[in-house]
Amino acid sequence: MKLPIVTYNVDAMSCKFVKSTYASAWSGIVIDIKNRTGMSPLYLILILKDKNGRTPRKRMIKQLDSTWVIKIKKFDISHINKDWLIRIPAFA
């Protein structure tokens, strides 16, 4: 028997906005947080802007340790495809 896939529907403006600390820094929103024992939390992040401030061509979701991102101010996401904010897969 297959287990159902858990998905999220997101209200993006209520999420935490973050930016990666990589050399090629992208920006996105934290969809979910998974707390881990003895380590910093793991974030599920929907990427909304690339390093040049452009919207990616396709939806990208990353699982990343919270120490690799910094919190930023909220930005306008009205141009984002609304389908990106529904049925986001949950943590494995």
Side-chain angles (χ1 to χ4, degrees), residues 6-25:
V6 177
T7 59
Y8 298 105
N9 291 333
V10 177
D11 173 24
M13 291 313 287
S14 66
C15 293
K16 180 190 295 189
F17 283 68
V18 294
K19 182 177 181 177
S20 70
T21 57
Y22 297 124
S24 179

Side-chain angles (χ1 to χ4, degrees), residues 70-87:
I70 55 173
K71 188 175 178 181
I72 60 172
K73 291 182 182 178
K74 295 183 180 198
F75 53 84
D76 180 33
I77 59 166
S78 60
H79 63 285
I80 300 296
N81 185 342
K82 300 302 179 211
D83 291 339
W84 286 11
L85 302 175
I86 59 174
R87 299 188 50 131

Side-chain angles (χ1 to χ4, degrees), residues 47-91:
I47 308 235
L48 299 176
K49 289 184 178 181
D50 66 8
K51 67 178 180 174
N52 298 318
R54 294 185 299 240
T55 304
R57 289 185 297 162
K58 62 181 183 175
R59 179 170 79 170
M60 292 188 289
I61 299 171
K62 298 215 181 255
Q63 291 183 25
L64 198 61
D65 189 275
S66 63
T67 58
W68 286 98
V69 296
I70 55 173
K71 188 175 178 181
I72 60 172
K73 291 182 182 178
K74 295 183 180 198
F75 53 84
D76 180 33
I77 59 166
S78 60
H79 63 285
I80 300 296
N81 185 342
K82 300 302 179 211
D83 291 339
W84 286 11
L85 302 175
I86 59 174
R87 299 188 50 131
I88 296 173
F91 280 113

Side-chain angles (χ1 to χ4, degrees), residues 31-44:
I31 304 300
D32 194 15
I33 299 171
K34 183 177 184 181
N35 291 317
R36 304 181 292 174
T37 306
M39 292 186 261
S40 55
L42 190 64
Y43 285 170
L44 185 66

